[in-house]
Amino acid sequence: MRAWLSLRNARLYHWLREHSELGVGVLLLLIGVLVLTDALTMDVDLTQRGPIGPRTVPVVVGTGLVVVAVLLAVDVLRGGRGEAEGGEDIDLSEPGDWRTVLLLAGVFLAGAVLIGPLGFPLAGALLFWGSAYALGSRHHDRDPLIAAVLSLVTYVVFNNLLGVPLPGGPLMGVL
């Protein structure tokens, strides 16, 4: 019995390994359903919307994600496989760099948590600098300056030019 379970688990593991692209399809499907659910349950006052409305882009993006997920799953189940690029210079047998992944996840989480109390200019600068650091840049004199300029430019473009209000935080009166 134990040998049969071990063989069955080995076959399942091998099948999942051979069809790992299905994981991407499932992820795309979940994100697409989430976007569609959020867009379709959005409370929109008919007098506030223009000819297209605020639901249009999320519905189009969500529908596209669901369609791509289904097409990817069908392709994978029919035997399709993604091919590595010809110029790929990485060794796929090497394990992933989890330190970088965890650093980036921490930086994004910190940015999401700090955007409310610090505002976008400061939280964005920390996000940009932390991402550069996590990805290997060690220019400690240049990176924070570039991150601050990039964050301020992004804030001004979105807040002043595009009319998308971003939280200013303590710098609200200054900017």
Side-chain angles (χ1 to χ4, degrees):
M1 178 73 168
R2 193 170 197 183
W4 179 79
L5 284 175
S6 177
L7 178 64
R8 184 175 175 191
N9 286 342
R11 285 184 183 161
L12 178 63
Y13 177 78
H14 179 71
W15 188 87
L16 288 173
R17 191 146 167 94
E18 290 294 317
H19 297 89
S20 61
E21 289 94 346
L22 286 176
V24 175
V26 168
L27 181 66
L28 290 175
L29 180 67
L30 289 174
I31 293 172
V33 168
L34 178 69
V35 168
L36 281 172
T37 302
D38 195 36
L40 295 175
T41 59
M42 188 183 298
D43 187 26
V44 178
D45 186 12
L46 292 177
T47 60
Q48 289 182 335
R49 68 182 181 109
I52 294 179
R55 289 184 181 160
T56 305
V57 171
V59 167
V60 169
V61 169
T63 303
L65 285 168
V66 170
V67 168
V68 168
V70 169
L71 291 174
L72 178 63
V74 168
D75 181 53
V76 169
L77 293 174
R78 287 184 176 173
R81 260 189 85 77
E83 295 182 22
E85 294 181 25
E88 198 72 40
D89 61 347
I90 60 169
D91 185 5
L92 295 177
S93 64
E94 289 291 319
D97 183 8
W98 287 105
R99 179 183 180 274
T100 301
V101 171
L102 292 174
L103 277 172
L104 279 173
V107 165
F108 286 125
L109 181 62
V113 168
L114 294 175
I115 196 168
L118 294 182
F120 184 83
L122 293 175
L126 290 172
L127 174 72
F128 294 139
W129 174 78
S131 298
Y133 180 82
L135 293 172
S137 178
R138 296 298 182 261
H139 298 281
H140 300 296
D141 53 343
R142 181 181 68 185
D143 289 345
L145 181 63
I146 292 173
V149 169
L150 186 59
S151 180
L152 284 173
V153 167
T154 304
Y155 177 79
V156 168
V157 166
F158 275 85
N159 200 55
N160 299 346
L161 298 179
L162 297 176
V164 177
L166 296 174
L171 297 178
M172 185 64 93
V174 177
L175 299 176

